[in-house]
Amino acid sequence: MGALGLGPVIEANAAAYRAPQRGDFTLSGRAGAKVVVLGAGIAGLATAYELGKAGYDVRILEAKNRPGGRNWTVRGGTVETDLDGRTQRATFSDGQYMNAGPGRLPQSHVTLDYCRELGVELEVFTNQNANAYIHHENVGGALAGQRMRYRTAKADVYGYVSELLATATDQGALDKELTAADKERLLEFLRGFGDIGGRADGWAYTGSSRRGYEVEPGAGLEAGTVLGDVPSLSDVVASGVGRRFSFEFGYDQAMMMFQPVGGMDRIPYALAKAIGRGRITYGAEATGVRNLPDGAEVSWQDARGRKHVEHADFVVVATPPMIAARFEHNLGADVTAALKYPVASAAGKIGLEYRSRWWETDEHIYGGITETDSDLAHIWYPSSGFQSRRGTVIGYYNTGAAARAYGELPHAEREARAVSRGVKIHGEKYRTELAASFSVAWHRTRFIEGAWVGWPSQTGPEYRLLNEPAGRVYFAGDWLSHAIAWQHGAFTSARKVVTGIHERVLQA
């Protein structure tokens, strides 16, 4: 009711976060403690950034050769070797890139506050486009295998649902629930919502300009030709397109979202710059963590295999839990069991660079997402560089079994499979205009091994245990939040840990 404008929507307000200040230490007469952070993903970077502002001596050990973790933007020259030993080198042209991990930012997320603080420029991400398509092959009815513009599918679904509800209401099916006045108000709403006829027309949905035009309205006598061939109610229901629209009502999937100009990794690189180059060691693979009577220590090895030990007052483990579960430690068997409790999820993406932006010139699609029921799942069109010469499409963004199936293939076969399915929607230009590609299977990516995790329960002892320190060792990450797979979750988890360490230092 709230989503349709028929009921009130409760607003959620969160208290403002106050980062520790240098004055906190001056007033207490204490010096900032030393903290070693494992992992330069968003949680690790945010932890180091906030503690650094307060004067802590912070060091980050990162196994990969870049900051960001899953916040990874692939550009020309990017090289990655996966767990199967297969190496890709990106050949995208200058200015072209793919966000292999996160690709959009909700307006309500704290991530935007960090972008403001760090000077990361933002632009609009088109999360839904009425000109994009829905393409369902594995359905019944006459619409199977046909691409439908999102606007057309939406008009038909809303129209027929409104017709059915209006008919039932007018025939007295809801008399026990509605007063006479309420019935008239609802019928008035349905006429506008579904663009249906009135009582004299039997509340019929017959299609309208909401479906789109075969010939655009123009000058003089050109009134335009409304898209015809309205499918039957049975065919619309059988097509399953209606299930796509609930996506719009998700709290964190508002239709206008944002992205950093030039790539999502502008965020971790801005954090890394603010932290300071000398405070992050890349190519440093953590192998163990131990509580000590007066602090904690980390064992790690560098890119040459040389072993090191780092001592600190506190350690923050900001790696994925499946990675941390393999560390040698003295934190207890219950911690190991808790780290193994969440389940890693598979997800994959492929970036397809094209020599021309045919989706704009030929099909009038400027950003947005085409939804499919094939193993492509989603096709993303770029929300930047409009009307320029080249562009990079996310040719699939899939999860679960589909992601695992693609992940088993070498890159060339992933590309061929994705293109063959895309041709069904866009035609041969989807193949002939292709210039370069790069793919990622997150569950086969070294030092990460999953797109995100799913908890069998976030109310049980495992989740609660890892949200508390194990001696001088803390855990941080989006996986310890209720915004899993969002950078917001990583930021808020980091802020929770920073607050905990800071309060502990001041009370010592």
Side-chain angles (χ1 to χ4, degrees):
M1 294 286 280
L4 297 176
L6 298 176
V9 178
I10 298 174
E11 295 184 2
N13 297 309
Y17 172 73
R18 176 191 175 278
Q21 304 295 315
R22 290 182 182 273
D24 295 339
F25 294 102
T26 302
L27 292 173
S28 65
R30 296 174 174 82
K34 179 178 180 180
V35 181
V36 172
V37 179
L38 306 185
I42 293 300
L45 291 168
T47 299
Y49 174 65
E50 294 289 7
L51 288 174
K53 286 192 296 184
Y56 283 81
D57 178 8
V58 186
R59 298 288 186 274
I60 299 179
L61 302 176
E62 168 55 47
K64 301 188 81 65
N65 61 0
R66 58 171 178 82
R70 286 164 293 158
N71 183 331
W72 179 31
T73 301
V74 176
R75 299 182 176 82
T78 296
V79 178
E80 180 72 17
T81 300
D82 65 19
L83 291 173
D84 300 304
R86 298 177 296 209
T87 299
Q88 288 184 72
R89 179 181 293 274
T91 59
F92 294 139
S93 59
D94 289 347
Q96 296 300 310
Y97 63 86
M98 68 172 287
N99 288 321
R104 50 195 170 189
L105 304 172
Q107 297 176 64
S108 61
H109 281 189
V110 73
T111 311
L112 267 64
D113 298 317
Y114 278 94
C115 289
R116 182 188 302 109
E117 183 171 327
L118 295 164
V120 176
E121 185 180 358
L122 298 175
E123 61 189 0
V124 168
F125 175 89
T126 307
N127 205 30
Q128 186 269 342
N129 186 339
N131 271 12
Y133 297 112
I134 299 174
H135 184 259
H136 286 176
E137 299 177 86
N138 305 308
V139 295
L143 299 177
Q146 295 188 29
R147 68 182 190 182
M148 296 181 66
R149 295 279 190 182
Y150 196 92
R151 72 165 73 251
T152 307
K154 197 171 188 178
D156 290 346
V157 170
Y158 283 14
Y160 278 125
V161 168
S162 296
E163 176 187 314
L164 289 171
L165 183 53
T167 300
T169 300
D170 200 34
Q171 292 177 352
L174 300 178
D175 283 358
K176 291 183 179 180
E177 287 76 23
L178 300 173
T179 66
D182 287 341
K183 286 175 59 175
E184 293 305 315
R185 294 188 188 102
L186 178 57
L187 289 168
E188 181 183 2
F189 163 75
L190 291 171
R191 287 191 64 185
F193 181 70
D195 204 8
I196 60 176
R199 183 173 279 111
D201 303 308
W203 311 107
Y205 170 70
T206 57
S208 71
S209 60
R210 291 186 184 182
R211 304 187 78 245
Y213 284 86
E214 293 179 5
V215 178
E216 290 286 324
L221 300 179
E222 182 53 79
T225 303
V226 173
L227 188 66
D229 298 325
V230 180
S232 68
L233 168 61
S234 178
D235 285 337
V236 170
V237 172
S239 73
V241 295
R243 69 176 184 263
R244 298 296 176 182
F245 308 135
S246 61
F247 162 77
E248 300 176 22
F249 298 132
Y251 178 73
D252 54 9
Q253 290 292 350
M255 292 304 97
M256 190 177 81
M257 301 180 78
F258 291 90
Q259 63 183 13
V261 174
M264 189 62 73
D265 69 350
R266 297 298 195 231
I267 297 173
Y269 276 103
L271 282 165
K273 180 179 179 181
I275 292 165
R277 180 176 300 180
R279 294 186 177 276
I280 306 176
T281 302
Y282 296 108
E285 180 183 358
T287 57
V289 59
R290 294 179 60 82
N291 271 313
L292 301 175
D294 58 347
E297 70 176 18
V298 173
S299 302
W300 60 280
Q301 62 182 24
D302 59 29
R304 297 182 180 181
R306 294 176 298 192
K307 299 184 183 302
H308 306 262
V309 175
E310 189 89 10
H311 294 271
D313 295 297
F314 300 96
V315 171
V316 178
V317 178
T319 65
M322 48 279 193
I323 304 296
R326 298 198 291 266
F327 291 167
E328 294 182 3
H329 65 79
N330 64 349
L331 307 180
D334 54 344
V335 169
T336 301
L339 290 168
K340 292 180 177 180
Y341 185 62
V343 180
S345 296
K349 284 185 179 180
I350 190 168
L352 304 173
E353 180 187 348
Y354 286 96
R355 285 182 283 270
S356 67
R357 297 174 75 98
W358 48 261
W359 54 92
E360 294 176 358
T361 57
D362 299 353
E363 302 181 33
H364 305 119
I365 300 174
Y366 289 79
I369 302 170
T370 281
E371 303 289 355
T372 83
D373 66 352
S374 73
D375 58 16
L376 298 178
H378 318 281
I379 298 174
W380 287 17
Y381 309 97
S383 290
S384 61
F386 297 122
Q387 298 190 342
S388 58
R389 181 165 169 254
R390 289 181 173 239
T392 300
V393 170
I394 298 300
Y396 63 75
Y397 175 21
N398 51 26
T399 59
R404 294 188 184 281
Y406 274 88
E408 292 176 359
L409 303 174
H411 171 71
E413 293 181 28
R414 295 176 190 170
E415 178 196 285
R417 183 167 173 166
V419 169
S420 69
R421 284 150 173 74
V423 165
K424 295 180 181 180
I425 303 171
H426 291 293
E428 279 300 317
K429 61 199 170 191
Y430 203 83
R431 190 191 320 273
T432 58
E433 287 294 296
L434 184 62
S437 66
F438 190 96
S439 61
V440 58
W442 281 110
H443 59 291
R444 304 305 300 158
T445 301
R446 296 182 70 215
F447 307 123
I448 294 177
E449 299 184 17
W452 52 79
V453 302
W455 287 87
S457 170
Q458 283 185 277
T459 60
E462 297 87 357
Y463 183 78
R464 294 179 181 274
L465 177 66
L466 297 176
N467 266 288
E468 297 296 331
R472 295 293 187 102
V473 178
Y474 289 72
F475 296 92
D478 67 288
W479 52 281
L480 288 173
S481 78
H482 288 276
I484 290 175
W486 292 103
Q487 293 173 87
H488 173 85
F491 277 119
T492 56
S493 177
R495 287 147 72 114
K496 176 180 179 296
V497 166
V498 166
T499 301
I501 290 175
H502 189 57
E503 290 176 347
R504 191 166 173 178
V505 169
L506 293 182
Q507 293 170 4

